[in-house]
Amino acid sequence: MKKLLALASLAVVGGAPGFVAAGCGSEKAVSLGPAGGKTGSTAATESTGSVPTSVSLEVWFLDGEQLARQSRSHEATPLVATAAMKALLAGPSPAELESGLDTSVPADTKLLGISIKKGVATVDLTSQYQSGGGSLSMKARLAQVVYTLTQFPTVRAVLFHLDGEPVSVFSGEGIVLDHPVGRADYEDLLPVISVDKPVAEARVSSPVQVSGSANVFEANVTVKVLDENGKVVGNTFTTATCGTGCRGTYSVPVTFKVGREQRGTIVVSDDDAAGTGTPPHQVRIEVVLVP
């Protein structure tokens, strides 16, 4: 992937730098800086010079019964929230399906509009969004939308409309949705370890800041940087703000050294408390290591 740069200066809306319109007729703005959600990431632009050509966004699918974040590249647009939602509704790619990813969002669901006010994104979807599936499927599809939209720091929560009408009770499962919902409402669908930064395919230099959330034994989190040959070129340890039955956040700089630009992997794991030689949980993020 080409060079990634934060979209801090993609557009100017209402005289304020670093903001772009949220989507579908919204008069509000969405910043593409660090995400305001608890486990969000930073949207970035792919550029060959001073003019941005594409934006990198995240969409959330499912890996089994857990949320799984994937990256999408989209032509540079002021309608970033709309672009992210449309990418979500398009579903996993054939390669992602082959790898085991899935979605609970019905394939015929359409986006009717998005507006943002005081940190709440109101998303309007067609009524197909609530068709089929049981309670887990309904909860998962709500979480997919919430996590996809709250990647933007000016979106803290999401309010749902169907066919233009506010939703008070969602689907035949009777899920109450008469209030905005945020990431904390669906934390139980996250994997044991979640990595927010860096995002996949990011170009990173030393020290690289690695952050996310985890619910692991004694809150212990290990971070390793591997070079293109799988050799450990950086290694550190930190603790999350909570662990062993509760989810906490972590953030730690990792120093590494490589002689030239190359592909690499950041591995975040918990402790091998059982002494098996392999930690019970780990997340691997493919990146580009820059000297």
Side-chain angles (χ1 to χ4, degrees), residues 108-182:
D108 52 356
T109 302
K110 298 294 188 295
L111 176 66
L112 299 179
I114 300 175
S115 63
I116 298 172
K117 183 177 181 181
K118 296 182 179 179
V120 176
T122 299
V123 58
D124 190 5
L125 301 166
T126 55
S127 58
Q128 288 88 344
Y129 181 63
Q130 66 177 344
S131 64
S135 58
L136 178 59
S137 174
M138 293 300 171
K139 183 176 182 179
R141 71 186 63 175
L142 292 171
Q144 286 181 252
V145 170
V146 168
Y147 271 76
T148 295
L149 286 177
T150 53
Q151 69 184 280
F152 307 110
T154 51
V155 180
R156 299 188 307 272
V158 178
L159 193 62
F160 287 85
H161 285 195
L162 294 178
D163 290 337
E165 297 296 325
V167 176
S168 56
V169 178
F170 182 65
S171 80
E173 299 298 321
I175 300 173
V176 177
L177 272 186
D178 58 356
H179 61 285
V181 287

Side-chain angles (χ1 to χ4, degrees), residues 69-89:
R69 182 179 60 209
Q70 295 293 299
S71 296
R72 289 291 186 270
S73 181
H74 191 280
E75 181 180 352
T77 174
L79 304 180
V80 288
T82 297
M85 276 300 303
K86 287 185 176 180
L88 172 64
L89 297 182

